[in-house]
Each structure stands twice: as structure tokens, then as C-alpha cells.
Amino acid sequence: MTTEQLEFAQLTVLVVEDHSLQRRVLVRAFEMLGVGRVVEAENGAQALILLEDKDALIDIVFTDLDMPTMDGLALMRQIGMRAPDVGVVVLSSVERNLLSAVEWLAREQGIKLLALIEKPASRKPLVDALRLYGSLPSDLAPALPSIPLDEIAAGLEAGQFEAFLQPQLDFANFKFAGAEALARWRHPQLGLVSPAGFIKAIEESELVEPFSLAILRSAAWAVKWLDASWLPGRIAVNVSPAWLDQPTMSERFIQAVAQLGFPVERLMIEVTESAANSNLAAALENLARLRMAGFKLSVDDFGTGFSSLQRLVSSPFSELKFDRTFVTELVLGTPRWLVVESTIALAKRLGLVTVAEGVETFEEWQVLKDAGCDICQGYFTAKPMSQGDFMLWTKEHPNMLSETLNAEQWLTGHGKLEN
């Protein structure tokens, strides 16, 4: 058995395709790749029966869109409601802009969409989709939205919340540009809990400010370590939309940064696109005050909202950050590519730095680099890590400070490209 076959031996794949020959070809392809168990269905209704079978234990569904009885869209909606942990890959011959709409729909329905593959599917995208399922972040406990608010408050009081760091590298030469601070909760019983397990409850309560300040304090420690190590770069910190709506937010934030000795020039404040569009007057007042105080501001998750160009131009941002769902499956010549290329060009005219998060493949990195994107963030270069692991990571990558570092050499040296 090959290494690749061993890699997929534990997976159970469900193929949903109404065309019998195409279904058999796919089933055979997965069997040859070493997938441990492959089951099949002619339409969404049959697939749903298999998904609800507790003994089936489906890991990934590969589904067509246009099928009788229950099509792929209806099946995806049911997966989002009944089996959100199952990975989904869409296989279809529909036009590309329709696939983009399907991706948007999948995200809104809470579906773990792994890939959109155009028919006929070749071997490589199938392998990539299987590997992506296996490489999804495993360092986090499952989302636990039912954790009681008083338990979250106790965790904040006990100092259990901290900032993990995900490095950001320059697309052109892989120099270290900084890192994003990502909230994690070291729960004494549940282990490491992601924001999905607590952020909604926090933003609907009075805990939003103490939580934000706790992550800021943790990030400030990281900046002090960077300074002591003579490392350049900034730390990006997310500001909750719920806090941004409060009239005193900017004043409290500025005071906290001053008390922590956090150098203003080393801090990037990330604000989601939707946050800047919710309570516009309050948000803009706070953003303007923060900008006047010397902070740099980033439009986070750009591409997930519906802000107008006028709103983007009139807001005091210094950076634009593409959402990972906009980066995934970025292909030259597609409508998504044209939007990204045009937006990067516009950002440069406006003097904005551009960042792409969620970069997971060499192909995505190459397309964004060629488009002129400035900063890369994603599992392709480095995963989020504890501050201790981050310190080790920077020591293991001393060439990040080189002015002449060649990106292709970096990729080859770190196993991203073949020699």
C-alpha cells in the first residue's frame, strides 16, 4: 500500500451522482486512492438516508448539483442543519459564477465546504480535497456555543483567555511582516476552545470589553518580545463589532494601550467589514479617534459584506484584508479573480496595504503574489500557534529578516516546492 493510500485509509466518502457511469468512475477513483470506505447515492434523498445512519459515519460528501428528487443545493441545506461536521465537495459542470454563488450559500448555511471541482474531475483536485479534510485545524476543541456565560466570565477572571499568533509574511520575499492575535480559551476541562465556542455569547453580553482587553494584554506581551528580539512587524488585534458600537470604546482602548506600554506603531486594529457598516455613526467616530491617535486600521474579512466603494474610500482604513472564503479556489480568469485583482489595484491607488488570509495552497499563493497582494497569512506558510511556539518558530526562521530572500528558495527550503 502506498503512502497516499495509507493517508486516506481511515476516511469514509459518500459519492452523490445521478449519472451511473460518472458515479462508478468516481467510486473507482476513490478506491484506487486508498479511501477506506466509499458509499454511493443517486440523489440527495438517498444521500440523506446514509448521512442519518449512525453506523455510516460519513466524513466527506462529494456531490453533484443538478440531480432529480433532491438536488445538490437541497442536500447541502440539509447537511448544514443535520451534519455540519461533514466535509462537502461540490462536483459540477455549471458555469463558474454559479459555483461562486454556491460557495457563498454554503458559508451562510454553516457547511464545511472543502472544494468546488469542475467536471470532469481529475485526480489532483480529488486528492487535494481529501487532504484538506485531513488538514483542517485539529488543535481546537469542538465549538461549544452552550457554555454558560458565568463560566466564560470565570475564565476571563482566571486569565484563561490568551492570544495565539499566526505569522504574516511578505508575498514578495517572505520577510516577517507581523502576526494576527487570535483568541483561544484554555479551558481546564475542555482543553483549547476556539472562538466558535464563546464569541457569540460574549458579544451578546457585558463581557465584550473585558474580553477584548484580555486579548489585547496577551498581544502586548508578544509585541514586547518582538521588540526584545529585534524583530520587525506588527501585531493585528480584532475589535468586536459589539464593542465598536459603544461610544467610549476608542477612549478605553487608547487608555489600555498606553497603560500596557504597547507601541502604537506596532499595533494593527482589525475591524470586520460588517462592523463598519452596522452602527455607522458610532463606528466611524471610534475609528476616526483611533486613527487620530496613531493606530492603523484594517478592514477584516473584506468580501463578505456589501459595503460600497464610497464607504471604503470614506472610512479611515490603512489596510484591506481579504476573507479566506474569498481566497479559497482562486483561479485565474474567473469573476472572483477579477474582483480580487481589481480590488488590489484600487487599494494600491488608495495607499492601502493588502492582506490575504486563509492561503492554503501554492496555487493560491502564486495567484495572489502575481496580483500584487502585499502580505500572506494562512496554513500554507504558518498555522496559529501559542506564544511559546511562536517564539520557537521565529528562531527557526532567521532568514525572515533577510533583505534578499528569494520566495521560491524559501518555499523549496520549507517543503512547499520540489527541488
Side-chain angles (χ1 to χ4, degrees):
M1 184 175 287
T2 66
T3 303
E4 192 173 72
Q5 289 172 327
L6 288 171
E7 183 180 1
F8 305 137
Q10 302 302 315
L11 291 178
T12 296
V13 165
L14 169 59
V15 176
V16 191
E17 168 64 65
D18 63 310
H19 193 286
S20 59
L21 178 58
Q22 293 184 27
R23 188 172 66 251
R24 288 305 306 156
V25 168
L26 281 169
V27 169
R28 180 58 179 158
F30 289 126
E31 290 173 346
M32 293 181 67
L33 288 171
V35 172
R37 182 165 172 258
V38 185
V39 293
E40 53 187 291
E42 294 182 5
N43 53 56
Q46 290 183 8
L48 203 55
I49 294 172
L50 291 169
L51 284 165
E52 292 180 334
D53 183 353
K54 294 182 179 180
D55 295 326
L57 298 176
I58 306 296
D59 295 307
I60 312 174
V61 174
F62 286 77
T63 182
D64 190 10
L65 288 178
D66 189 8
M67 297 179 293
T69 309
M70 179 187 286
D71 63 21
L73 294 176
L75 173 61
M76 289 169 61
R77 183 175 68 251
Q78 293 297 324
I79 291 174
M81 292 188 295
R82 305 185 190 195
D85 291 332
V86 172
V88 175
V89 177
V90 172
L91 294 154
S92 182
S93 56
V94 300
E95 56 194 60
R96 190 72 198 183
N97 61 346
L98 180 53
L99 286 178
S100 296
V102 170
E103 180 177 9
W104 187 289
L105 182 64
R107 186 177 72 243
E108 292 298 312
Q109 294 173 336
I111 294 166
K112 189 183 293 182
L113 185 66
L114 302 178
L116 297 160
I117 301 176
E118 294 186 40
K119 289 183 176 180
S122 60
R123 182 179 184 278
K124 184 179 185 304
L126 296 178
V127 171
D128 289 345
L130 293 171
R131 284 184 174 152
L132 182 57
Y133 178 83
S135 65
L136 290 175
S138 59
D139 60 327
L140 304 178
L144 297 168
S146 60
I147 296 178
L149 191 62
D150 58 352
E151 189 173 339
I152 297 175
L156 281 169
E157 184 69 24
Q160 295 169 359
F161 287 80
E162 65 181 85
F164 268 44
L165 301 173
Q166 184 170 32
Q168 299 172 328
L169 304 181
D170 192 294
F171 265 107
N173 54 24
F174 273 92
K175 285 181 60 180
F176 178 74
E180 180 180 1
L182 301 165
R184 299 290 186 263
W185 181 8
R186 290 193 184 276
H187 194 285
Q189 284 81 44
L190 301 174
L192 200 61
V193 181
S194 75
F198 53 79
I199 197 66
K200 187 175 186 294
I202 286 176
E203 293 192 336
E204 294 175 351
S205 72
E206 299 298 319
L207 297 178
V208 62
E209 181 175 324
F211 164 75
S212 301
L213 293 177
I215 300 303
L216 181 66
R217 283 192 293 271
S218 183
W221 185 92
V223 166
K224 291 177 181 178
W225 184 84
L226 288 177
D227 281 341
S229 304
W230 296 91
L231 275 170
R234 78 285 171 84
I235 299 293
V237 177
N238 291 276
V239 168
S240 165
W243 196 24
L244 194 65
D245 283 349
Q246 298 179 15
T248 60
M249 176 268 163
S250 54
E251 180 182 350
R252 293 281 294 134
F253 191 92
I254 292 168
Q255 288 176 351
V257 169
Q259 291 170 357
L260 291 167
F262 204 145
V264 172
E265 66 276 8
R266 302 295 293 274
L267 179 62
M268 174 68 72
I269 302 173
E270 294 194 359
V271 180
T272 61
E273 186 181 3
S274 58
N277 290 329
S278 54
N279 187 342
L280 183 59
L284 279 179
E285 182 176 342
N286 278 318
L287 292 173
R289 282 206 177 94
L290 291 169
R291 198 74 172 91
M292 286 165 51
F295 295 99
K296 293 181 179 180
L297 307 176
S298 175
V299 187
D300 193 15
D301 295 340
F302 185 82
T304 61
F306 295 94
S307 60
S308 66
L309 291 177
Q310 180 180 0
R311 183 71 53 79
L312 177 63
V313 171
S314 61
S315 299
F317 293 108
S318 50
E319 179 181 281
L320 187 153
K321 191 173 188 180
F322 290 104
D323 180 65
R324 64 180 180 84
T325 57
F326 220 67
V327 171
T328 303
E329 296 295 312
L330 198 61
V331 179
L332 287 172
T334 63
R336 175 176 297 183
W337 155 250
L338 295 175
V339 171
V340 169
E341 182 186 41
S342 300
T343 305
I344 290 174
L346 174 62
K348 289 185 179 298
R349 295 288 297 273
L350 295 173
L352 302 178
V353 174
T354 52
V355 180
E357 65 177 336
V359 180
E360 296 182 344
T361 67
F362 170 74
E363 289 76 17
E364 291 167 358
W365 174 84
Q366 186 68 63
V367 168
L368 288 160
K369 176 179 180 291
D370 292 344
C373 194
D374 298 307
I375 296 174
C376 175
Q377 178 181 338
Y379 272 64
F380 178 65
T381 49
K383 67 178 182 179
M385 56 193 84
S386 67
Q387 295 194 24
D389 288 340
F390 176 75
M391 293 167 62
L392 294 174
W393 185 88
T394 56
K395 292 176 181 178
E396 292 169 356
H397 298 76
N399 53 7
M400 289 188 305
L401 303 180
S402 171
E403 294 286 346
T404 59
L405 184 62
N406 179 276
E408 280 70 18
Q409 291 175 347
W410 191 97
L411 289 167
T412 300
H414 291 78
K416 304 295 183 179
L417 291 178
E418 295 182 358
N419 288 297

